[in-house]
């Protein structure tokens, strides 16, 4: 894979962000955007344990997709206090994924604000993500192809991104939002996945308080180098093609995939994974 380091800036104003990153749809890391937020100094594992310790949270791991799993159905559940203790004590594959902080802990919304970067954020959908050392998300893109601001807290996280133009090289699973789940994007076996050598993407590592702008529809792979957590704020896709894809994903693709899981069971999952390999390898010389 050819991975370019994502550009970094200390701070940025609205005009420069729109001109240099939003309009050309390029990712960027902003290092000092949120130093004036209460969250910058308050948000750590201990604080989250205090404000949300008694809440039962959904947990996900890196097990292969099973036909019995519903869309975004968690693999386990645990009290937040117990989960944070687990993160501190030992490596774990369990992650919290798409946890709506306003719904679950309304007081947390007093600790941050929405940046003015020229588009509207979906203010009902701030999401938190937690993970243990070496846990990771499969390479995927979001169902609504949103513009995402990803704010990292506590620890260090590896991020690898690809634009939608690289789909044909990534072993994309049909009727899904993921690539083949056997690929380790932090250290891919290019003999087994040769098309990845032709893929052009981006990489960076995030530290506490840093913000990654992920342009609309970008594929993203996130790996926790150390235990940590992040928050994502999202704005709707503006490109008409991406908006059309988002509507299709929500209204058609998701329901079709769930229907086929019920009808064909594991055969449907196996067929999709097989097609991801066959379709991608067709482009090889």
């Amino acid at each position: 894979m050819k991975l370019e380091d994502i550009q970094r800036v200390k701070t940025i104003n609205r005009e420069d962000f729109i001109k240099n990153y939003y309009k050309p749809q390029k990712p960027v890391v902003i290092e000092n955007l949120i130093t004036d937020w209460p969250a910058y100094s308050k948000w750590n594992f201990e604080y989250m344990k205090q404000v949300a310790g008694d809440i039962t949270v959904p947990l996900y791991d890196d097990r292969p997709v099973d036909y019995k799993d519903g869309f975004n159905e968690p693999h386990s559940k645990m009290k937040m206090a117990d989960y944070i203790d687990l993160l501190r004590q030992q490596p774990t594959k369990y992650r919290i994924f798409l946890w709506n902080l306003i719904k679950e802990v309304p007081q947390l919304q007093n600790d941050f604000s929405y940046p003015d970067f020229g588009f509207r954020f979906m203010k009902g959908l701030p999401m938190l993500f937690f993970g243990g050392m070496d846990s990771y998300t499969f390479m995927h893109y979001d169902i609504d192809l949103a513009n995402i601001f990803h704010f990292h807290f506590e620890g260090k996280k590896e991020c690898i991104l690809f634009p939608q133009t690289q789909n044909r090289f990534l072993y994309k699973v049909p009727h899904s939002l993921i690539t083949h789940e056997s690929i380790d994007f932090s250290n891919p076996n290019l003999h087994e996945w040769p098309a990845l050598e032709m893929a052009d993407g981006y990489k960076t590592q995030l530290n506490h308080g840093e913000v990654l702008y992920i342009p609309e529809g970008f594929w993203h792979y996130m790996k926790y180098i150390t235990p940590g957590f992040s928050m994502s704020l999202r704005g709707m896709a503006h490109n008409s093609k991406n908006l059309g894809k988002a509507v299709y994903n929500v209204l058609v693709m998701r329901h079709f995939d769930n229907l086929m899981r019920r009808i064909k069971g594991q055969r449907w999952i196996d067929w999709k994974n097989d097609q991801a390999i066959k379709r991608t390898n067709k482009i090889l010389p």
Side-chain angles (χ1 to χ4, degrees), residues 192-237:
E192 185 176 3
W193 311 103
L196 292 180
E197 288 195 85
M198 295 181 274
D200 292 320
Y202 301 88
K203 63 182 174 67
T204 196
Q205 290 186 358
L206 294 179
N207 301 295
H208 176 85
E210 294 181 340
V211 184
L212 170 63
Y213 167 61
I214 304 175
E216 55 191 62
F218 266 47
W219 294 89
H220 42 285
Y221 165 92
M222 305 289 193
K223 183 175 182 178
Y224 293 87
I225 299 173
T226 66
F229 65 98
S230 307
M231 176 181 73
S232 283
L233 302 179
R234 55 205 304 112
M236 286 182 61

Side-chain angles (χ1 to χ4, degrees), residues 141-146 163-167 172 176-177 216-219 237 239-254:
Y141 67 94
D142 288 7
I143 193 168
D144 57 356
L145 287 85
Q164 288 278 313
T165 55
Q166 302 301 297
N167 284 9
K172 180 185 183 301
S176 301
L177 307 172
E216 55 191 62
F218 266 47
W219 294 89
N239 179 283
S240 58
K241 183 178 179 180
N242 288 338
L243 277 173
K245 286 183 180 179
V247 171
Y248 172 80
N249 288 342
V250 172
L251 298 182
V252 179
M253 185 274 290
R254 176 175 58 178

Side-chain angles (χ1 to χ4, degrees), residues 259-277:
L259 175 64
M260 294 302 290
R261 290 185 191 206
R262 291 195 296 270
I263 294 173
K264 293 192 172 184
Q266 190 61 36
R267 288 181 299 138
W268 173 244
I269 304 298
D270 295 341
W271 177 85
K272 291 200 301 177
N273 286 330
D274 184 59
Q275 287 298 306
I277 297 172

